[in-house]
Amino acid sequence: MSSEASENVLIGVIGGSGLYHLDNLTFVKHVNPETPWGYPSSPITVCALPSGTKVAFLARHGAGHSIAPSAVPARANIAALKSLGVRAVLAFSAVGSLREEIAPGDFVLPTQIIDRTKGVRPASFFEGTTVVAHAAFGDPFAGRLVRWLEARVRAALAHAARGGAVPGLHTDKCIVCMEGPQFSTRAESQMYRAWGADIINMSVLPEAKLAREAELSYALIATATDYDAWRPNESPVTAAEVFKTLQENARISRHVAATVLEELHAAAAEGDILTEEAGSMQYSIMPRSEQQKEEDRQKLAYILPAYFS
């Protein structure tokens, strides 16, 4: 584990499209850890809440949105956050809506994922090593963290509305992660609806899988920007349409983050909402054999020192 872990940064925030910084926080420093999987998407901003509590912010697509979804160095991102001592990751992402009731501007806390990526994204820290592990992923998001967030995000949305219409908050939804960078065809959009999916993006995987392997609690706060391509007699989604709602969604997302981070840090320090992931990889890693290379074990010790140091 990196010496940066002494920072006591328990909460990491990953910002998606349109969310490139956090509000009302005091800048402390930038860190750019070189992990065994390379450098993160951008230098991580360590900043302080009004109480002095530190959080880490990482722009998923890099400064100025310069990294396409399929090229995001997700392993380096998660490993870098873990090296700072992060135990819980609050990720934000713009999504398309596959349901009429999830309107552009609404927020979603998903609990399930359908993987429609194409195998071009490295999806495991164990990939390319002589160590084999099979992480449990039946419930891909941290259940206790998601439930903890629900009431607090709902309250933050009401406050952020500034007297106007309060964005909806939808829970227990399923997100499809597609490869991109193109948007869905109409046939695909209809198929995802038939499968029971509610929203769609290009970023939640392999991020959530890697967080599970690193024993980090991971939750996604998704913000709907459009209706994808499933609606009959309407034009399919375009980047221009997404940008119309992206700025306002990002403003509200920054408010949500600023509202919940202080309490989230306290809850993480107490530990109860993080108990699901702690120790979860212990029985997922296949027993040590003579075929395991020491350099691979040393590499994996960066994220899982309890099992490989």
PDB file of all heavy atoms in Angstrom, residues 141-156:
ATOM      1  N   PHE A 141     -23.540  -3.441  -6.266  1.00  0.00           N
ATOM      2  CA  PHE A 141     -23.330  -2.215  -5.510  1.00  0.00           C
ATOM      3  C   PHE A 141     -23.370  -2.537  -4.018  1.00  0.00           C
ATOM      4  O   PHE A 141     -23.952  -3.542  -3.604  1.00  0.00           O
ATOM      5  CB  PHE A 141     -24.396  -1.175  -5.856  1.00  0.00           C
ATOM      6  CG  PHE A 141     -24.377  -0.761  -7.296  1.00  0.00           C
ATOM      7  CD1 PHE A 141     -25.272  -1.305  -8.210  1.00  0.00           C
ATOM      8  CD2 PHE A 141     -23.459   0.165  -7.764  1.00  0.00           C
ATOM      9  CE1 PHE A 141     -25.256  -0.938  -9.544  1.00  0.00           C
ATOM     10  CE2 PHE A 141     -23.435   0.546  -9.098  1.00  0.00           C
ATOM     11  CZ  PHE A 141     -24.329  -0.010  -9.986  1.00  0.00           C
ATOM     12  N   ALA A 142     -22.753  -1.677  -3.228  1.00  0.00           N
ATOM     13  CA  ALA A 142     -22.710  -1.885  -1.779  1.00  0.00           C
ATOM     14  C   ALA A 142     -24.094  -1.597  -1.195  1.00  0.00           C
ATOM     15  O   ALA A 142     -24.495  -0.438  -1.087  1.00  0.00           O
ATOM     16  CB  ALA A 142     -21.650  -0.984  -1.151  1.00  0.00           C
ATOM     17  N   GLY A 143     -24.802  -2.643  -0.808  1.00  0.00           N
ATOM     18  CA  GLY A 143     -26.188  -2.502  -0.389  1.00  0.00           C
ATOM     19  C   GLY A 143     -26.381  -1.556   0.781  1.00  0.00           C
ATOM     20  O   GLY A 143     -27.285  -0.707   0.763  1.00  0.00           O
ATOM     21  N   ARG A 144     -25.580  -1.685   1.807  1.00  0.00           N
ATOM     22  CA  ARG A 144     -25.745  -0.827   2.983  1.00  0.00           C
ATOM     23  C   ARG A 144     -25.453   0.630   2.642  1.00  0.00           C
ATOM     24  O   ARG A 144     -26.128   1.534   3.135  1.00  0.00           O
ATOM     25  CB  ARG A 144     -24.835  -1.301   4.111  1.00  0.00           C
ATOM     26  CG  ARG A 144     -25.261  -2.637   4.697  1.00  0.00           C
ATOM     27  CD  ARG A 144     -24.443  -3.010   5.909  1.00  0.00           C
ATOM     28  NE  ARG A 144     -24.863  -4.297   6.434  1.00  0.00           N
ATOM     29  CZ  ARG A 144     -24.334  -4.887   7.502  1.00  0.00           C
ATOM     30  NH1 ARG A 144     -23.352  -4.285   8.158  1.00  0.00           N
ATOM     31  NH2 ARG A 144     -24.767  -6.053   7.917  1.00  0.00           N
ATOM     32  N   LEU A 145     -24.457   0.857   1.806  1.00  0.00           N
ATOM     33  CA  LEU A 145     -24.123   2.220   1.397  1.00  0.00           C
ATOM     34  C   LEU A 145     -25.254   2.820   0.573  1.00  0.00           C
ATOM     35  O   LEU A 145     -25.638   3.987   0.782  1.00  0.00           O
ATOM     36  CB  LEU A 145     -22.822   2.224   0.603  1.00  0.00           C
ATOM     37  CG  LEU A 145     -22.371   3.568   0.029  1.00  0.00           C
ATOM     38  CD1 LEU A 145     -22.214   4.614   1.123  1.00  0.00           C
ATOM     39  CD2 LEU A 145     -21.064   3.397  -0.754  1.00  0.00           C
ATOM     40  N   VAL A 146     -25.814   2.056  -0.350  1.00  0.00           N
ATOM     41  CA  VAL A 146     -26.909   2.552  -1.184  1.00  0.00           C
ATOM     42  C   VAL A 146     -28.113   2.917  -0.321  1.00  0.00           C
ATOM     43  O   VAL A 146     -28.730   3.977  -0.494  1.00  0.00           O
ATOM     44  CB  VAL A 146     -27.300   1.508  -2.255  1.00  0.00           C
ATOM     45  CG1 VAL A 146     -28.562   1.938  -2.989  1.00  0.00           C
ATOM     46  CG2 VAL A 146     -26.168   1.321  -3.250  1.00  0.00           C
ATOM     47  N   ARG A 147     -28.464   2.046   0.632  1.00  0.00           N
ATOM     48  CA  ARG A 147     -29.609   2.328   1.503  1.00  0.00           C
ATOM     49  C   ARG A 147     -29.341   3.552   2.372  1.00  0.00           C
ATOM     50  O   ARG A 147     -30.236   4.364   2.630  1.00  0.00           O
ATOM     51  CB  ARG A 147     -29.908   1.116   2.393  1.00  0.00           C
ATOM     52  CG  ARG A 147     -30.326  -0.124   1.605  1.00  0.00           C
ATOM     53  CD  ARG A 147     -31.635   0.105   0.863  1.00  0.00           C
ATOM     54  NE  ARG A 147     -31.912  -0.993  -0.060  1.00  0.00           N
ATOM     55  CZ  ARG A 147     -32.323  -0.854  -1.289  1.00  0.00           C
ATOM     56  NH1 ARG A 147     -32.490   0.352  -1.801  1.00  0.00           N
ATOM     57  NH2 ARG A 147     -32.569  -1.885  -2.053  1.00  0.00           N
ATOM     58  N   TRP A 148     -28.108   3.694   2.822  1.00  0.00           N
ATOM     59  CA  TRP A 148     -27.736   4.860   3.630  1.00  0.00           C
ATOM     60  C   TRP A 148     -27.889   6.142   2.821  1.00  0.00           C
ATOM     61  O   TRP A 148     -28.345   7.169   3.323  1.00  0.00           O
ATOM     62  CB  TRP A 148     -26.291   4.692   4.107  1.00  0.00           C
ATOM     63  CG  TRP A 148     -25.799   5.769   5.019  1.00  0.00           C
ATOM     64  CD1 TRP A 148     -25.799   5.762   6.381  1.00  0.00           C
ATOM     65  CD2 TRP A 148     -25.213   7.022   4.631  1.00  0.00           C
ATOM     66  NE1 TRP A 148     -25.260   6.931   6.867  1.00  0.00           N
ATOM     67  CE2 TRP A 148     -24.895   7.719   5.823  1.00  0.00           C
ATOM     68  CE3 TRP A 148     -24.932   7.624   3.410  1.00  0.00           C
ATOM     69  CZ2 TRP A 148     -24.308   8.987   5.812  1.00  0.00           C
ATOM     70  CZ3 TRP A 148     -24.355   8.886   3.398  1.00  0.00           C
ATOM     71  CH2 TRP A 148     -24.043   9.551   4.582  1.00  0.00           C
ATOM     72  N   LEU A 149     -27.536   6.080   1.550  1.00  0.00           N
ATOM     73  CA  LEU A 149     -27.579   7.263   0.697  1.00  0.00           C
ATOM     74  C   LEU A 149     -28.993   7.711   0.371  1.00  0.00           C
ATOM     75  O   LEU A 149     -29.241   8.910   0.161  1.00  0.00           O
ATOM     76  CB  LEU A 149     -26.839   6.984  -0.619  1.00  0.00           C
ATOM     77  CG  LEU A 149     -25.316   6.975  -0.576  1.00  0.00           C
ATOM     78  CD1 LEU A 149     -24.759   6.385  -1.867  1.00  0.00           C
ATOM     79  CD2 LEU A 149     -24.774   8.391  -0.361  1.00  0.00           C
ATOM     80  N   GLU A 150     -29.935   6.789   0.304  1.00  0.00           N
ATOM     81  CA  GLU A 150     -31.255   7.087  -0.261  1.00  0.00           C
ATOM     82  C   GLU A 150     -31.918   8.303   0.391  1.00  0.00           C
ATOM     83  O   GLU A 150     -32.278   9.271  -0.303  1.00  0.00           O
ATOM     84  CB  GLU A 150     -32.155   5.859  -0.134  1.00  0.00           C
ATOM     85  CG  GLU A 150     -33.494   6.045  -0.808  1.00  0.00           C
ATOM     86  CD  GLU A 150     -34.328   4.772  -0.797  1.00  0.00           C
ATOM     87  OE1 GLU A 150     -33.750   3.663  -0.710  1.00  0.00           O
ATOM     88  OE2 GLU A 150     -35.571   4.899  -0.867  1.00  0.00           O
ATOM     89  N   ALA A 151     -32.100   8.290   1.688  1.00  0.00           N
ATOM     90  CA  ALA A 151     -32.786   9.390   2.352  1.00  0.00           C
ATOM     91  C   ALA A 151     -31.981  10.677   2.267  1.00  0.00           C
ATOM     92  O   ALA A 151     -32.539  11.769   2.114  1.00  0.00           O
ATOM     93  CB  ALA A 151     -33.065   9.042   3.813  1.00  0.00           C
ATOM     94  N   ARG A 152     -30.679  10.565   2.331  1.00  0.00           N
ATOM     95  CA  ARG A 152     -29.822  11.760   2.320  1.00  0.00           C
ATOM     96  C   ARG A 152     -29.776  12.401   0.943  1.00  0.00           C
ATOM     97  O   ARG A 152     -29.760  13.625   0.826  1.00  0.00           O
ATOM     98  CB  ARG A 152     -28.445  11.373   2.828  1.00  0.00           C
ATOM     99  CG  ARG A 152     -28.469  11.018   4.326  1.00  0.00           C
ATOM    100  CD  ARG A 152     -27.297  10.166   4.753  1.00  0.00           C
ATOM    101  NE  ARG A 152     -27.358   9.881   6.176  1.00  0.00           N
ATOM    102  CZ  ARG A 152     -28.041   8.856   6.697  1.00  0.00           C
ATOM    103  NH1 ARG A 152     -28.706   8.036   5.888  1.00  0.00           N
ATOM    104  NH2 ARG A 152     -28.053   8.646   7.995  1.00  0.00           N
ATOM    105  N   VAL A 153     -29.732  11.595  -0.103  1.00  0.00           N
ATOM    106  CA  VAL A 153     -29.771  12.154  -1.460  1.00  0.00           C
ATOM    107  C   VAL A 153     -31.126  12.801  -1.719  1.00  0.00           C
ATOM    108  O   VAL A 153     -31.217  13.882  -2.315  1.00  0.00           O
ATOM    109  CB  VAL A 153     -29.468  11.065  -2.506  1.00  0.00           C
ATOM    110  CG1 VAL A 153     -29.721  11.585  -3.918  1.00  0.00           C
ATOM    111  CG2 VAL A 153     -28.024  10.590  -2.372  1.00  0.00           C
ATOM    112  N   ARG A 154     -32.190  12.172  -1.256  1.00  0.00           N
ATOM    113  CA  ARG A 154     -33.530  12.730  -1.457  1.00  0.00           C
ATOM    114  C   ARG A 154     -33.639  14.106  -0.791  1.00  0.00           C
ATOM    115  O   ARG A 154     -34.180  15.059  -1.379  1.00  0.00           O
ATOM    116  CB  ARG A 154     -34.586  11.776  -0.875  1.00  0.00           C
ATOM    117  CG  ARG A 154     -35.993  12.025  -1.391  1.00  0.00           C
ATOM    118  CD  ARG A 154     -36.978  11.013  -0.819  1.00  0.00           C
ATOM    119  NE  ARG A 154     -36.655   9.647  -1.175  1.00  0.00           N
ATOM    120  CZ  ARG A 154     -36.953   9.074  -2.317  1.00  0.00           C
ATOM    121  NH1 ARG A 154     -37.576   9.781  -3.255  1.00  0.00           N
ATOM    122  NH2 ARG A 154     -36.632   7.819  -2.554  1.00  0.00           N
ATOM    123  N   ALA A 155     -33.110  14.225   0.424  1.00  0.00           N
ATOM    124  CA  ALA A 155     -33.148  15.510   1.125  1.00  0.00           C
ATOM    125  C   ALA A 155     -32.287  16.549   0.416  1.00  0.00           C
ATOM    126  O   ALA A 155     -32.668  17.729   0.300  1.00  0.00           O
ATOM    127  CB  ALA A 155     -32.688  15.330   2.570  1.00  0.00           C
ATOM    128  N   ALA A 156     -31.120  16.122  -0.085  1.00  0.00           N
ATOM    129  CA  ALA A 156     -30.227  17.046  -0.787  1.00  0.00           C
ATOM    130  C   ALA A 156     -30.857  17.545  -2.082  1.00  0.00           C
ATOM    131  O   ALA A 156     -30.706  18.716  -2.450  1.00  0.00           O
ATOM    132  CB  ALA A 156     -28.897  16.360  -1.080  1.00  0.00           C
TER     133      ALA A 156
END
